[in-house]
């Protein structure tokens, strides 16, 4: 063999081997193997919201060369859906995928991290959490529960829910038994509603049996899958209590603190990807599902103005009471309220005027 050819060939082989070595993530060569369990608050039949946890798990695995693995479990498989926070807090699991307003029974402050009535839309919520001090405020609050939180999804503005009878005024709310999440129950209760807290999988049978008269869940895509239209013909909008609800990943603090820094960075990046992906998926899926539901005879209705006005007044009264009585609420709510006022001013200038004009033209068939 020609010596120069041999050297050239050896050089190519050595270069290929080096390239192969460099192509493998350095993190996979140096970091420990970690395996976590994550419990979701959602059934796996709701692939968009439940699927957020699967997006996180796959992204983290891909970014760490499989070294950091997260096994995802649907609601009820390890713990009931509304006990996801408790499981992460106790270390029964290392992580949970849930909505903070599920836990307002522990402290109403939880709701501010996800959504409160007449609050922020999805873009505004992300702005507050990522760059308006929101994440820092929420994690200071969550420290008392032994968890660390990262935003991990958003549904966009939700629908006001399914009703067995038509709602024409506040008077029609008297005695209405409604599954409704977060602080919204405390807002509508003085108007006559009897609020109920039910996990997603328990809603349909309760509505079918008449145990409840109405329910809200998310929006057209998920609601159609759960079959609510089969037992409640009136579909109201909007959910004034969920203009842009954040879904959170919660990590047991000891488990999170014990991670290598690159794994924490992978969790952060994966959670942000999940947050973006979920909202985009809902915008696509809800667009299709609302047409399907109307085709099945669902009757769309706007919530009456007097219901909105009365609810707004009740919400402001409640927030004032909580600010006076609950220092933890006050510490999060007051900066949030200031941010809301400022971001609303900006959105009214360009976003609102542009959207209002364009939607009016489209509705007019132009």
């Amino acid at each position: 063999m020609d010596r120069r050819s041999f050297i050239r060939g050896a050089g190519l082989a050595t270069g290929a081997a080096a390239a192969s070595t460099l192509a493998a993530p350095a993190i996979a060569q140096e970091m420990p193997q970690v395996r976590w369990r994550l419990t979701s608050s959602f059934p796996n039949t709701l692939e968009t919201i439940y699927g957020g946890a699967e997006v996180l798990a796959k992204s983290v695995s891909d970014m760490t060369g499989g070294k950091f693995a997260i096994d995802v479990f649907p609601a009820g498989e390890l713990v009931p859906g509304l006990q996801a926070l408790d499981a992460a807090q106790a270390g029964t699991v290392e992580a949970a995928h849930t909505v903070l307003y599920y836990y307002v029974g522990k402290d109403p402050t939880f709701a501010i991290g996800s959504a409160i009535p007449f609050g922020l839309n999805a873009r505004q919520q992300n702005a507050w959490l990522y760059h308006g001090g929101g994440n820092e405020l929420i994690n200071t609050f969550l420290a008392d529960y032994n968890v660390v939180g990262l935003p991990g999804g958003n549904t966009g503005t939700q629908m006001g829910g399914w009703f067995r009878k038509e709602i024409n005024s506040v008077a029609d709310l008297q005695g209405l038994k409604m599954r409704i999440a977060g602080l919204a129950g405390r807002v509508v209760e003085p108007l006559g509603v009897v609020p109920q807290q039910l996990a997603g999988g328990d809603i349909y049978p309760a509505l079918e049996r008449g145990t409840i008269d109405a329910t809200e869940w998310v929006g057209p895509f998920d609601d159609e899958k759960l079959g609510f239209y089969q037992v409640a013909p009136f579909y109201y909008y909007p959910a004034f209590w969920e203009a842009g609800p954040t879904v959170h990943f919660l990590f047991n603090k000891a488990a999170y603190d014990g991670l290598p820094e690159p794994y924490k960075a992978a969790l952060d990046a994966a959670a942000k990807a999940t947050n973006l992906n979920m909202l985009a998926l809902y915008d696509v899926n809800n667009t299709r599902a609302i047409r399907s539901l109307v085709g099945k005879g669902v009757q769309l209705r706007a919530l009456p103005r007097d219901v909105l006005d009365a609810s707004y007044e009740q919400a402001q009264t409640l927030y004032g009471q909580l600010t006076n009585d609950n220092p933890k609420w006050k510490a999060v709510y007051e900066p949030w309220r200031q941010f809301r006022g400022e971001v609303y001013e900006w959105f009214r200038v360009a976003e609102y005027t542009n959207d209002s004009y364009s939607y009016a033209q489209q509705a007019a068939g132009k």
Side-chain angles (χ1 to χ4, degrees), residues 1-345:
M1 178 181 291
D2 178 74
R3 181 173 179 271
R4 283 174 295 181
S5 297
F6 175 79
I7 292 172
R8 285 198 301 270
L12 287 171
T14 303
S20 175
T21 301
L22 290 172
I27 191 172
Q29 302 169 45
E30 302 167 0
M31 294 292 104
Q33 186 75 46
V34 174
R35 193 169 203 96
W36 275 11
R37 297 194 303 170
L38 181 153
T39 187
S40 173
S41 282
F42 316 107
N44 55 13
T45 51
L46 300 178
E47 69 266 25
T48 307
I49 195 164
Y50 171 81
E54 295 179 319
V55 170
L56 176 95
K58 184 179 186 307
S59 298
V60 166
S61 178
D62 289 347
M63 283 187 279
T64 62
K67 287 283 191 175
F68 186 5
I70 301 174
D71 298 320
V72 179
F73 297 88
E77 191 162 324
L78 296 180
V79 297
L82 298 183
Q83 294 178 21
L85 164 65
D86 305 82
Q89 179 181 0
T92 306
V93 296
E94 291 80 12
H97 194 217
T98 189
V99 186
L100 294 183
Y101 61 43
Y102 287 163
Y103 309 102
V104 293
K106 299 176 185 291
D107 191 310
T109 311
F110 274 102
I112 308 176
S114 51
I116 62 175
F118 305 101
L120 304 174
N121 67 24
R123 274 183 56 189
Q124 295 162 354
Q125 181 78 354
N126 283 336
W128 177 64
L129 287 167
Y130 289 131
H131 298 293
N135 274 339
E136 293 79 6
L137 289 168
I138 294 302
N139 274 316
T140 298
F141 168 75
L142 290 176
D144 289 342
Y145 296 86
N146 196 38
V147 293
V148 175
L150 289 176
N154 201 302
T155 67
T157 303
Q158 295 190 3
M159 291 291 283
W162 300 87
F163 292 72
R164 296 167 67 94
K165 67 174 186 177
E166 200 166 1
I167 305 298
N168 294 308
S169 70
V170 172
D172 292 326
L173 300 179
Q174 290 298 317
L176 186 87
K177 299 187 294 295
M178 182 177 183
R179 185 272 180 192
I180 189 165
L183 287 184
R186 292 183 63 177
V187 169
V188 297
E189 191 171 17
L191 307 182
V193 175
V194 182
Q196 311 285 318
Q197 278 274 28
L198 294 172
D202 300 326
I203 298 173
Y204 182 90
L207 194 60
E208 183 180 37
R209 291 193 302 265
T211 307
I212 56 176
D213 306 306
T215 185
E216 57 82 32
W217 177 242
V218 176
F221 184 66
D222 285 349
D223 292 3
E224 184 176 29
K225 282 181 170 294
L226 292 176
F228 300 142
Y229 65 93
Q230 299 173 36
V231 287
F234 299 103
Y235 199 21
Y236 279 86
Y237 60 88
F240 56 78
W241 52 95
E242 295 183 84
T246 296
V247 185
H248 264 81
F249 290 111
L250 301 179
F251 309 118
N252 175 270
K253 191 173 188 309
Y256 180 82
D257 288 346
L259 289 174
E261 289 302 317
Y263 286 11
K264 292 179 183 177
L267 276 179
D268 183 71
K272 286 173 177 170
T274 301
N275 197 19
L276 174 65
N277 185 66
M278 185 184 293
L279 181 60
L281 270 177
Y282 269 118
D283 284 341
V284 170
N285 291 337
N286 284 334
T287 298
R288 297 167 180 163
I290 193 68
R291 288 175 169 269
S292 174
L293 286 168
V294 170
K296 292 174 179 175
V298 167
Q299 299 185 52
L300 288 177
R301 296 284 190 276
L303 285 169
R305 179 60 185 257
D306 71 331
V307 170
L308 294 175
D309 289 345
S311 299
Y312 190 89
E313 293 303 318
Q314 288 296 334
Q316 304 317 307
T317 298
L318 175 62
Y319 300 158
Q321 293 170 347
L322 290 171
T323 299
N324 290 332
D325 300 341
N326 186 332
K328 292 182 179 180
W329 167 276
K330 182 178 181 179
V332 180
Y333 176 73
E334 289 200 333
W336 176 92
R337 184 165 64 99
Q338 180 178 349
F339 182 88
R340 175 185 180 268
E342 292 170 355
V343 79
Y344 271 22
E345 288 176 355

